[in-house]
Structure formats: structure tokens, C-alpha cells
Amino acid sequence: MQSLYMMMQEQVANDVLDVLIIGGGPIGMACGIECVKNDLSYLIVEKGCLVNSLYNYPLNMTFFSTSDRLEIGGVPFISHNYKPTRSEALEYYRRVALSWKLRIKLYEAVTYTEKQGDIFVVHTSRNRKYFTRAIIVATGFYDIPNKLNVPGEDLPKVHHYFREAHPYFGQRIAVIGAANSAVDVALETYRKGAAEVTMIIREEQISDRVKYWVKPDIENRIKNGEIKAYFQSQVVAIREEEIDVQTPQGLITLPNDFVLAMTGYLPNFALLENLGVQIQDDEMRTPVYNEATMETNQPNVYLAGVVCGGLQTNKWFIENSRVHAVTIIQDLKRKKWLCNRN
């Protein structure tokens, strides 16, 4: 462990890297592994801990996918269950980083980038700058909550992330949303002793994307009145001990201790725009990139993983975007400047 720690902390010389990878999640790690396989100089820069998004998942979360679909770098992922848990995934990706001796700078956010001729200069929160010929953006989507934009959203009682149900024992909870995260939160807080669980849902019904083995459970809890649900409704104001909800029948006020806004998350559009990546004028704000190479409109800037979908964050997962790493590195290997270097 000490040698890996020292390796991660070593200063990167001012030599120009072949690739700088922004994001130390599974897909960013997969890109780093492909760099190792193809003898490319690289660095992964991650603003939080290793696989930071997975770390911030609920403590008791179970993946949709089986462990083999989460594997990267040829390292076997052995789970005690048919579908692995969050803790198993964290252990697995730590093992991958050790096995491949990946060069990762953790707790170092990219603040902005600039071009000097054909070279990118990447500035970070640690007042460092790195020089690279190419950039891969593999930042995921879990770091920026999709805000409600209502009065009172900045109160301490409002949470956009859910860790575990224990803090909400005996409390009156409002869960906003109708997809998997919201349903899981509503069921878990209800079963762990929340005094009252109310779901506030914009749509007419629970989302059809909810896990098939969970959907009947939440529908039955609502039908039995164990969990209250307001459909075609939205929170319009939040105060210390109550919330205002606009319903089809009019405005109502509900007593409330905590608001759990499971309203989804956003890609880092500011970073993409700083890199010169164009965003399509569509509902999902999809970044412009070549699906055959994963290269954006900005030469030598690539996208990998869920960030490719813009606001459509349910399109790309670990299992179907692992291949992005191979696609990108193979395209880079065809670049004239890289051939000349070798």
C-alpha cells in the first residue's frame, strides 16, 4: 500500500503527457488501464476519492448489474451475492488500482483548461498544471444535484444525497421523485421507523424504470396508505417545519422535518464548455462527439461513460461504456503525433 501511495503522490514532471483523464471512476480507471496496455503516458485526476460517485451511493445499495459486468482490466470481481453491493464494489476497484498501479491524483479537481498550440494546459485545485496532448472526460454525473430552485432549498433539512435511513427515525420525511432512488429512499425510511413518509411526484405514476422487483412494493405501500403520495405535484416552498406543495387540487401545506430531493444529477457542463465541447440544442443537452471514436468537436478531447448522454443519465452505465476506453485509446494510437512519438 505504501508504494502505491507514494506513486500516487509523486510529482508529475512538466513533460507533456499523451493523455490526461479527468475522473477516477470505473470508466476513467478503464481508460488508464488502456493507456498502460498501449504504453501511453497518462495521469488520472479525480476531485474526490477513488470511484468517488460509488463512494457516495447509499451504504446498503446493491447494483443492478452482476459483478462480471462491472469488471475492468481483466481483474475478476468476485461477489458473495448474485448482484454486488456498494462495499464490494469499493473493495474491487481499490484492488484494480493496486493491480494496475494506476497513476491517480486524488482530491484534486480540474479548475480550468487552456491551449498552448496543440498542447492542453490543465489547471487544478492544488495550484498545479499538467501538459497533455489529449484529454478524456470521464466525470460521470453524480457530483452536481439537479436543484429544485424553490425558496428554502438551502436549509440544512434538505438533502440531495441519501446515505442511510437511521437519521430519519421518528421524523416526517418528504421524498421528491418517482424513479429508483426516490422509491428506495421512501421504502427504506418507512421500514426504518420514519414517523411519516410522503412522496411528491411530478408524474402521474411511479416511473416504469423502477426495478421490477421493487415497483409492486412501493405501489402496495401507497395503496395501503403506509406511504402517502401526491402525484402531478411539486414542492414550491420549504420552511423549517413545513413544506408547500402544489397539487392538482390546489396548494397544501404539510408538516415536515426533512426533504430528500431525489431529483437526479447533472454532468459537469461547465467543464465541457471550458474545453470547447459543443452541446446540442436538444432536450437532453447531449454533448457533440463521434460515436465511432468518442472524440468531440474539439480535436483530441474525448468523452467516456455516462457524461456522453448529457442529461440522459440512464443511458450509459459501467457495463455498456467500458468499451469507450478501448475505442478512445485505439483512436489515439492512430494519431500522427502519437505515431511520430513512438
Side-chain angles (χ1 to χ4, degrees):
M1 290 293 292
Q2 184 179 7
S3 61
L4 175 67
Y5 176 80
M6 292 178 67
M7 177 193 66
M8 287 180 173
Q9 298 305 316
E10 70 181 10
Q11 292 291 328
V12 177
N14 287 335
D15 294 341
V16 178
L17 297 164
D18 292 323
V19 186
L20 186 135
I21 302 159
I22 306 176
I27 304 305
M29 292 173 65
C31 292
I33 290 168
E34 289 303 313
C35 287
V36 175
K37 288 180 179 180
N38 289 277
D39 194 31
L40 302 185
S41 62
Y42 76 98
L43 179 69
I44 302 171
V45 180
E46 165 57 53
K47 74 180 211 176
C49 63
L50 187 71
V51 291
N52 190 63
S53 293
L54 301 190
Y55 173 75
N56 285 307
Y57 283 175
L59 297 181
N60 298 321
M61 192 209 77
T62 298
F63 282 83
F64 292 179
S65 305
T66 53
S67 57
D68 60 301
R69 293 175 175 268
L70 304 177
E71 291 178 354
I72 58 174
V75 179
F77 187 170
I78 308 301
S79 171
H80 296 295
N81 310 285
Y82 176 62
K83 295 185 177 182
T85 64
R86 166 190 172 275
S87 61
E88 288 177 322
L90 295 180
E91 172 65 28
Y92 171 71
Y93 291 114
R94 288 197 300 269
R95 188 154 47 87
V96 171
L98 285 166
S99 297
W100 283 94
K101 297 181 174 61
L102 293 177
R103 300 190 68 192
I104 308 177
K105 292 289 186 179
L106 300 173
Y107 302 101
E108 184 167 355
V110 171
T111 53
Y112 71 99
T113 65
E114 56 183 332
K115 289 286 292 288
Q116 292 182 358
D118 293 330
I119 303 301
F120 294 94
V121 183
V122 179
H123 298 258
T124 74
S125 57
R126 291 184 178 266
N127 294 320
R128 295 172 181 152
K129 57 184 178 181
Y130 304 108
F131 302 89
T132 182
R133 296 179 176 88
I135 291 176
I136 301 174
V137 181
T139 49
F141 73 101
Y142 202 63
D143 292 329
I144 305 174
N146 189 17
K147 293 296 188 71
L148 301 171
N149 296 317
V150 300
E153 186 173 11
D154 57 346
L155 290 172
K157 64 182 274 185
V158 180
H159 299 158
H160 289 274
Y161 294 91
F162 178 78
R163 297 287 286 168
E164 58 179 326
H166 177 77
Y168 307 109
F169 172 80
Q171 304 299 294
R172 299 164 297 185
I173 308 301
V175 180
I176 304 177
N180 279 294
S181 295
V183 168
D184 287 346
V185 168
L187 288 171
E188 190 167 351
T189 52
Y190 159 71
R191 292 202 164 97
K192 295 297 172 64
E196 183 177 271
V197 178
T198 302
M199 297 187 73
I200 314 298
I201 300 168
R202 283 179 178 268
E203 296 78 15
E204 297 179 351
Q205 60 185 11
I206 295 294
S207 172
D208 290 333
R209 299 200 309 268
V210 170
K211 294 167 284 192
Y212 68 86
W213 63 92
V214 173
K215 195 166 187 283
D217 189 1
I218 189 66
E219 290 174 339
N220 286 332
R221 300 291 75 73
I222 292 172
K223 181 179 178 180
N224 294 342
E226 296 160 307
I227 293 176
K228 178 70 174 177
Y230 291 92
F231 294 97
Q232 294 181 281
S233 302
Q234 56 185 317
V235 173
V236 294
I238 302 170
R239 293 180 292 279
E240 287 288 353
E241 296 186 354
E242 58 189 16
I243 59 174
D244 291 338
V245 181
Q246 187 65 52
T247 75
Q249 290 73 40
L251 186 68
I252 63 172
T253 297
L254 301 176
N256 172 263
D257 298 307
F258 287 97
V259 174
L260 301 177
M262 302 292 105
T263 50
Y265 306 93
L266 305 173
N268 192 338
F269 287 115
L271 174 63
L272 295 178
E273 290 168 355
N274 173 243
L275 284 165
V277 177
Q278 293 178 3
I279 307 298
Q280 296 183 44
D281 188 21
D282 61 0
E283 183 181 359
M284 296 301 171
R285 298 190 65 195
T286 310
V288 173
Y289 68 96
N290 183 338
E291 294 184 5
T293 64
M294 309 308 294
E295 188 173 25
T296 68
N297 61 282
Q298 182 67 247
N300 298 324
V301 175
Y302 294 80
L303 303 183
V306 70
V307 70
C308 300
L311 295 176
Q312 192 175 2
T313 54
N314 63 339
K315 178 178 180 180
W316 295 106
F317 306 95
I318 298 171
E319 62 187 69
N320 67 354
S321 59
R322 296 176 296 182
V323 67
H324 292 172
V326 176
T327 300
I328 292 169
I329 300 307
Q330 288 305 308
D331 188 63
L332 280 172
K333 291 286 284 186
R334 290 190 290 267
K335 298 280 186 176
K336 182 177 180 180
W337 53 263
L338 197 52
C339 294
N340 291 340
R341 181 185 71 83
N342 293 333

